[in-house]
Amino acid sequence: MIELSDFSIGYGSKRLLTNVGAMIPASGMTALLGRNGSGKSTLLRAIAGLNADYSGEIKIAGVDLRKITPHDRAKKIAFVSTHRPRISNMKCCDVVAIGRAPYTNWMGRMQPQDEQVVYAVLEAVGMGSFADVSIDKMSDGECQRVMIARALAQETPVILLDEPTSFLDIPNRYELCRLLHNLAEKHNKCVLFSTHELDIAKSICDNIMLIDTPLLHNMPTNAMIASGHIDRVFNISDVKR
């Protein structure tokens, strides 16, 4: 589903990844790992079409990302950033409805089928009863579920999330990632998210991408664990000693 070919990216004079390649499957959940400053957010934003300062190719379902119009890209890729909206008096259903923008008519008017999608995805993330509650009244965990519902409302095959578990306590981190994994399986989505949670990546995800500057390792989770790359990049053996 997502393919990187001869891909390089960085900022200023700093190169983060150089001539790397990777293939992320069309369904399942992939964790993007790397040390602080390794470029996880930079890579995600490039795949989302929000950072064109790279060389090589990013392909979505075999199509070069540079050749996809913004409107069509919004039907292929949904992106959930670390920002959580706290707009007073904006209902959760209205936040989720933003995800229907690629499908509404030229006036941006919601049709009955769009409203059905909005309430269906809120139910899917366990937030159906919060549809009419103001988003600024939500906890961090609830707000993140609403943002995931907005991404689901876009009905894209790819969902990207930048640090979705940040600011959540440990139980909610696991609960949110299990939700993402279930959604990836049930809705046949390609879910890629950046995280610092090594235990979550190892225990829940189907695949792991690891930034090992200037390299990028991409393997099924069990193979990545067995490779020793995670322990080496994060100096885990040194911590144990």
Side-chain angles (χ1 to χ4, degrees), residues 29 177-187:
M29 186 159 133
C177 287
R178 289 192 186 98
L179 169 66
L180 288 171
H181 191 269
N182 290 339
L183 291 172
E185 286 190 337
K186 183 176 180 180
H187 297 275

Side-chain angles (χ1 to χ4, degrees), residues 54-71:
Y54 63 85
S55 61
E57 284 186 336
I58 302 173
K59 290 184 177 180
I60 306 296
V63 181
D64 189 335
L65 184 64
R66 296 187 191 274
K67 298 179 181 178
I68 302 174
T69 66
H71 183 266

Side-chain angles (χ1 to χ4, degrees), residues 111-127:
Q111 302 299 311
Q113 61 267 29
D114 296 308
E115 294 179 359
Q116 290 173 7
V117 171
V118 167
Y119 288 100
V121 296
L122 278 168
E123 288 289 346
V125 301
M127 294 296 289

Side-chain angles (χ1 to χ4, degrees), residues 14-15 21 26 28 30 35 67 73 118 128 137 146 154 165 169 186 196 198-199 201 210 215 220 222 224-225 229 237:
K14 183 174 182 179
R15 304 311 294 167
T30 299
R35 296 180 70 97
K67 298 179 181 178
R73 189 174 68 227
V118 167
K137 305 298 183 184
V146 172
Q154 279 184 242
T165 60
D169 58 25
K186 183 176 180 180
H196 290 286
L198 301 184
D199 289 343
L210 174 65
L215 306 176
N222 289 338
M224 182 66 79
I225 294 171
H229 289 314
S237 58

